[in-house]
Amino acid sequence: MSRMLEEVVVVDSIRTPFGRAGEKGIFWKTRAEDLAVAVFKALLERNPSLDLSTIDDSIWGVTNQVREQGGTLGRMVPILAYGEKGWGIPGCSIDRMCASSLTAVGFGAAMIASGMAECIIAGGVEHMGHLPMGFMRDLHPRAAEALGDETALVMGQTAENIHDRFPEFTREMADMYAFMSQQKAAKAIRAGKMRDMMVPVEVELPDGTKALIREDQTPRPDTTLEKLASLKPAFRENGRVTAGNACPLTDGAAAVLIMSESRARKLGLTPKMRFVTCAVAGVDPRIMGTAPVPATQKALAKAGLKMDDIDVIEINEAFAVQVLYCLDRLGLTADDPRVNMWGGAIAYGHPLAASGARLIAFLQRIFEEHPEYRYGITTLCVGRGQGYTVIWENLLR
């Protein structure tokens, strides 16, 4: 039986506010599942022509799949959201660490394109306060050797390795990039760019009272270059990676409603972006932050595009130095106006599995504001030495 490929589109995307991981974080008394439930329900509330029976699958990226993030969270989210009414929605959880939700979208897109599904909610959640990186993992005795050495197991050390191998990217350059990210984020927040994409979350505060959280906790609009320069290295004595030029540990969730274009139009929904192609690449795990370069190059080649064709680039800022490397090797400058127009993870935070969907949420809104833009990229580096890139086309032109 022959079958035509379906066009895959983003109808909507949303996220929670992002909170600082730990006891001082806004989500310290909130479970990971409840963050995921908040965005799952919001997608249906924002798109009332959707019915629960419309959703063919719930695919959730989760890095640390233990305790509250275990138990096949992707299946549990619609059930926790709607009880018995959610029983008919299947679900699964996947792990590609930092690219988990971007991979969830990629897997969902493949299902829709091939005709195996018409409507999928794909997202990601990470509660790094409750479940820190590496929590309850039992690494193979040869893991460090197989990955190159023990620095591959500590993401901050992999960023220091990029500084070592490519000394043209200095501490001062990393601090400057971090400063620019914070400034762009502050400007975007003041202009209200986050309002449409953010679902308020009710939380319990340390004193037992309730509060409705509407804003990110992690941005630091008062950051200065002098403050950044004064910070001590976080991972190595005499190192260059600090708490200021790296992303903060963060709790949060984000999700994307993807559909076949034909199904979206039948339901009266407006497709925002078309999934063009995606690519994943592997590199030396000791410099995992460089992997968006080959992933992006592969995706561009698949799409028959060049970097000059790309109008918007949303790259996850795990560490300033890895972004500097990636931009340089892709032929871009650190201050290219197409890159992270509203700031990035150095300001907003990086709740691992949620970050890919967060990048999509940013790109969707930038496309909406700029109908003259045609193509955009979302890309991340991934622990253990991977990169994942998706190319999108603006359908609101």
Side-chain angles (χ1 to χ4, degrees):
M1 179 178 70
S2 62
R3 179 180 290 156
M4 295 289 290
L5 288 179
E6 294 279 353
E7 293 287 6
V8 182
V9 299
V10 169
V11 169
D12 202 359
S13 54
I14 197 166
R15 69 179 180 97
T16 67
F18 286 176
R20 187 180 303 120
E23 293 186 21
K24 295 182 180 179
I26 53 178
F27 297 131
W28 179 244
K29 292 192 174 183
T30 304
R31 290 177 65 99
E33 306 103 317
D34 292 325
L35 295 176
V37 165
V39 292
F40 192 98
K41 292 180 71 174
L43 282 175
L44 275 90
E45 290 166 3
R46 288 160 58 99
N47 300 278
S49 63
L50 277 182
D51 183 88
L52 289 179
S53 63
T54 308
I55 302 170
D56 294 311
D57 209 350
S58 164
I59 308 177
W60 280 80
V62 188
T63 301
N64 286 322
Q65 295 185 24
V66 294
R67 293 194 174 177
E68 69 195 70
Q69 293 183 175
T72 315
L73 187 142
R75 167 63 170 161
M76 285 303 300
V77 168
I79 294 174
L80 290 170
Y82 295 102
E84 290 184 21
K85 294 179 180 178
W87 288 358
I89 302 175
C92 65
S93 301
I94 61 173
D95 170 23
R96 200 192 294 272
M97 301 182 78
C98 305
S100 294
S101 60
L102 204 56
T103 303
V105 171
F107 286 177
M111 291 174 65
I112 293 170
S114 63
M116 292 188 292
E118 288 188 298
C119 176
I120 290 174
I121 290 181
V125 64
E126 210 75 47
H127 201 306
M128 300 181 75
H130 294 173
L131 302 168
M133 285 186 290
F135 184 75
M136 290 183 67
R137 287 188 181 171
D138 182 12
L139 290 173
H140 192 281
R142 292 193 297 105
E145 175 189 359
L147 291 166
D149 60 47
E150 66 281 353
T151 64
L153 300 170
V154 181
M155 298 302 98
Q157 293 283 16
T158 67
E160 289 286 5
N161 289 342
I162 295 175
H163 274 298
D164 289 344
R165 295 197 195 183
F166 310 99
E168 63 267 31
F169 304 111
T170 65
R171 159 77 186 267
E172 291 73 23
M173 292 170 65
D175 286 348
M176 175 57 78
Y177 183 86
F179 174 72
M180 291 192 300
S181 181
Q182 293 283 2
Q183 291 296 297
K184 287 189 285 187
K187 182 179 179 181
I189 292 167
R190 286 194 303 268
K193 306 296 188 185
M194 302 300 115
R195 291 181 193 140
D196 176 68
M197 75 173 74
M198 198 122 59
V199 55
V201 178
E202 186 178 71
V203 303
E204 181 182 346
L205 300 176
D207 62 4
T209 60
K210 302 283 188 179
L212 195 63
I213 302 300
R214 299 177 181 274
E215 297 179 351
D216 295 307
Q217 188 181 18
T218 51
R220 296 183 178 274
D222 60 345
T223 296
T224 65
L225 283 171
E226 291 73 23
K227 288 180 181 179
L228 290 168
S230 70
L231 297 175
K232 295 181 179 179
F235 299 97
R236 182 194 299 176
E237 187 176 358
N238 299 320
R240 291 133 298 191
V241 181
T242 72
N245 59 36
C247 62
L249 302 178
T250 319
D251 308 327
V256 184
L257 175 61
I258 55 174
M259 307 182 76
S260 65
E261 185 172 10
S262 59
R263 181 65 167 169
R265 297 199 184 279
K266 283 179 183 177
L267 291 173
L269 298 170
T270 302
K272 308 298 195 310
M273 310 191 298
R274 181 175 71 89
F275 184 98
V276 177
T277 193
C278 68
V280 63
V283 299
D284 181 342
R286 294 168 294 182
I287 51 170
M288 65 91 199
T290 66
V293 175
T296 299
Q297 291 169 337
K298 287 172 68 174
L300 288 169
K302 288 181 180 182
L305 297 171
K306 297 180 180 179
M307 282 304 302
D308 287 345
D309 298 313
I310 305 301
D311 300 297
V312 192
I313 299 147
E314 282 292 325
I315 180 170
N316 193 51
E317 297 169 354
F319 303 94
V321 66
Q322 59 89 199
V323 179
L324 290 170
Y325 172 93
C326 292
L327 296 180
D328 180 78
R329 295 312 192 258
L330 291 171
L332 308 172
T333 60
D335 60 353
D336 190 304
R338 296 174 292 174
V339 176
N340 292 2
M341 295 178 179
W342 294 349
I346 287 174
Y348 298 101
H350 173 28
L352 300 183
S355 287
R358 194 276 296 172
L359 295 175
I360 293 171
F362 272 46
L363 181 61
Q364 176 193 322
R365 273 71 184 187
I366 292 171
F367 272 170
E368 289 172 359
E369 285 194 4
H370 294 275
E372 72 275 18
Y373 295 165
R374 183 171 184 181
Y375 292 113
I377 278 176
T378 52
T379 187
L380 303 96
C381 61
V382 184
R384 306 296 187 265
Q386 297 182 83
Y388 201 103
T389 296
V390 181
I391 297 177
W392 303 91
E393 183 179 11
N394 188 359
L395 294 179
L396 301 175
R397 300 173 69 241

